[in-house]
Amino acid sequence: MGAAERHTGTTVTTAPADHGWVNTWTAMPQLTEPGNMPPAPFTGKDSVLVDTTLRQTVRVTAGGARIRLRFSNAFGTTPLTLTRVAVALPLDGRAGVSTVEPGTTRPVMFAGREPVTVPVGAQMVSDPLDFDLRPGSNLTVTAYLATGQASLALTSHPGSRTTSYLTTGDHTGDNDLPGSAPVDHWYLLSDVEVLPDHPATATALLGDSLTDGRGSTTNANDRWPDQLYDRLRSHPATKDVAMLNQAAGGNRVLNDGLGPNALARLDRDILAHSGVNRLIVFEGINDIGTAAATPDAQRTVAADLIAAYEQIVVRAHAQGIHVYGATLLPFGGNAPYDDAGGLREATRQTVNHWIRTSGRFDAVLDFDRAVRDPDDPRRLNPVLQVGDWLHLNPAGYRTLAAAVPVPLFVGPAR
C-alpha cells in the first residue's frame, strides 16, 4: 500500500499528498546547559517557563504564502504543553525585536486547536497557515506556556545570535512586550516550513560553532550561511534556494559534546527535513582538538573522521542528496587546540588532503585556502579572526561565503 493510502473498513481511500513544502529556517535542537537556561524568574527549582510568554524572531530564506511551524521536545523528560502560539511580522522587519507590526498577528493551530502537547522526545508540526513570507525576511513567533515544562530538561538552541524575550502571563496577542527579559537564545522552536510560490530546494549545513556563527554580530544575521544565502538570492538562477543551518557550537562528528554527534543527528537534522537536496559538511575540528595530542590518538581520529565522512555521504546519497565537503580551518595559536608538537595540525592536513582528493564528495569547498594566513598557513588570516585564532569575524564569514561557487546550486544537485 502506498504511503498516501489508508484502509477505512473495507474501503481503500487515498489521502492527499503533502508535496511542495520546503524548510526555510532551522535551528539544531540540543539540551539546554545550566548557563543557558532562561533567567530568573522563568527557571524554577524543578520547572521552567511556567506562565511565560516567549517571543522569538527567525530569518527565513525561501518565501511562500503558507507556513508551518515545528516545535521540538527532543530533550525534554516531561511532556511540553504550548497553550497558545502566534506568528507576526516584526516591527520594521528587524531581527531580535520584541515589537510586532500591528495587524499582522495570526494564531497558529495544531489539528484545529490552539493548545498542543509535545510528547517526550517528539516534535509537533502546526497546521498550515496562510501567511505571506518574503524571502530573506524575519518572522516573529510568540508562544505562551501556562504550565511550562515540569522539569529542567529544556530543548533549545543556545547559539541563536538573535535576541528573544520572556515575560510573565499570556501576551501572545500583544504588539509589544514592555519590561520583558531579553535573552540571546532560541527555545523550543526548531523549524519553519513554507509552501513556496515557485519550485524551491533547500541546502542543509552540518557544522559546529564556525557555522553556528560564533564571532558574528548579534541580530545582524551575518554568519557565513546567511551571507552565502544573500549571494545566492542575488542571482536569478539560485534565488529560490533555502539555507538550513544545522550547526551548534562545540559539536563534534564522532562523539557527543554540545549536542549529539553529527552521525547520530544526521537523520533528525538533515535527512528528515523538507526539500533538502544538497548538504554541506563543515565539521571535524572539535574532534581533532579534543583528541589527545599523541601520535596514536591523532592517527585514530584522522581515520575515524574520514570513515565518518564516508558514512555521511553514503547515507545522504541514499536519499538523493548531494554532499559538498568543506576543508577544515587552521587553528594555530589557539589554546587549547594548538599543540607544540604540531600533531593536531598534521591530522588537519591529513583530513583536508582526503577531502580535497578522495573524490567522495560531489564538490569540495576549500575554506582552508580562503581564510588561512598566506604567510603562515597553519594560522587564520589575522584580519579575519576574532582573536582566539579559531573563530572568524563577519569579514571572515563573508570570505567563506564568497569561496562557495554559485553554480553548485543551479539546477539539479550535482
Side-chain angles (χ1 to χ4, degrees):
M1 183 171 65
E5 296 181 355
R6 63 178 184 272
H7 284 293
T8 305
T10 58
T11 304
V12 176
T13 62
T14 303
D18 199 12
H19 297 312
W21 290 93
V22 175
N23 270 90
T24 185
W25 173 86
T26 58
M28 174 191 148
Q30 58 191 101
L31 179 64
T32 311
E33 299 171 290
N36 293 323
M37 292 292 286
F42 304 102
T43 296
K45 182 179 179 181
D46 53 11
S47 61
V48 61
L49 299 178
V50 176
D51 188 29
T52 298
T53 293
L54 166 65
R55 179 163 287 176
Q56 309 179 93
T57 58
V58 299
R59 189 199 192 203
V60 303
T61 49
R66 304 194 86 195
I67 67 171
R68 299 190 303 203
L69 307 181
R70 293 178 184 248
F71 285 88
S72 176
N73 195 21
F75 296 94
T77 55
T78 60
L80 170 73
T81 297
L82 303 169
T83 309
R84 190 164 291 112
V85 177
V87 294
L89 297 177
L91 185 66
D92 299 326
R94 291 182 292 152
V97 296
S98 65
T99 307
V100 302
E101 291 284 356
T104 65
T105 300
R106 299 288 183 272
V108 176
M109 301 293 183
F110 296 82
R113 301 174 296 173
E114 280 196 308
V116 63
T117 297
V118 189
V120 171
Q123 67 170 221
M124 295 295 280
V125 184
S126 75
D127 298 344
L129 173 67
D130 291 335
F131 194 91
D132 193 26
L133 276 181
R134 291 180 294 102
S137 63
N138 287 295
L139 174 70
T140 298
V141 179
T142 307
Y144 172 63
L145 298 84
T147 57
Q149 183 132 31
S151 77
L152 298 182
L154 182 66
T155 302
S156 71
H157 188 83
S160 65
R161 276 85 202 180
T162 306
T163 306
S164 302
Y165 296 87
L166 300 163
T167 192
T168 301
D170 182 2
H171 298 278
T172 51
D174 293 5
N175 289 335
D176 197 7
L177 301 179
S180 55
V183 57
D184 290 341
H185 308 303
W186 285 313
Y187 297 107
L188 306 177
L189 182 67
S190 62
D191 298 274
V192 179
E193 294 175 289
V194 296
L195 196 59
D197 300 326
H198 308 286
T201 62
T203 295
L205 301 98
L206 197 63
D208 50 33
S209 56
L210 285 160
T211 301
D212 203 29
R214 175 79 177 268
S216 63
T217 310
T218 299
N219 296 321
N221 288 310
D222 55 13
R223 314 164 189 83
W224 75 262
D226 295 288
Q227 298 195 59
L228 173 59
Y229 167 72
D230 289 335
R231 284 187 65 218
L232 297 179
R233 189 157 58 104
S234 68
H235 294 270
T238 55
K239 63 182 179 61
D240 293 313
V241 176
M243 196 66 55
L244 308 181
N245 190 337
Q246 293 287 47
N251 196 242
R252 293 185 287 183
V253 174
L254 302 170
N255 297 296
D256 292 354
L258 296 183
N261 66 80
L263 287 178
R265 67 186 181 90
L266 183 67
D267 290 275
R268 182 198 71 185
D269 290 348
I270 307 299
L271 305 185
H273 280 73
S274 307
V276 173
N277 71 343
R278 294 174 176 86
L279 167 63
I280 297 175
V281 179
F282 179 36
E283 187 165 7
I285 210 70
N286 292 323
D287 297 84
I288 296 171
T290 57
T294 66
D296 285 347
Q298 289 301 309
R299 277 194 297 269
T300 297
V301 76
D304 288 350
L305 270 176
I306 289 169
Y309 295 146
E310 293 263 17
Q311 286 288 308
I312 291 169
V313 170
V314 167
R315 289 164 63 185
H317 280 177
Q319 301 298 319
I321 298 171
H322 285 220
V323 188
Y324 304 157
T327 54
L328 304 180
L329 305 191
F331 49 82
N334 172 262
Y337 282 8
D338 192 15
D339 65 285
L343 294 171
R344 294 190 179 111
E345 169 63 11
T347 300
R348 186 183 75 89
Q349 294 289 352
T350 296
V351 171
N352 278 353
H353 177 76
W354 183 88
I355 292 171
R356 291 183 178 111
T357 64
S358 69
R360 294 296 290 123
F361 290 108
D362 298 292
V364 173
L365 311 178
D366 204 341
F367 285 172
D368 168 38
R369 188 182 305 276
V371 297
R372 68 193 183 198
D373 186 345
D375 297 321
D376 186 358
R378 60 182 294 276
R379 289 178 177 247
L380 293 169
N381 188 322
V383 302
L384 300 180
Q385 56 96 27
V386 296
D388 65 359
W389 297 100
L390 183 64
H391 297 99
L392 300 174
N393 56 31
Y397 289 132
R398 184 167 58 251
T399 303
L400 288 189
V404 181
V406 169
L408 291 177
F409 302 88
V410 176
R414 55 194 176 88

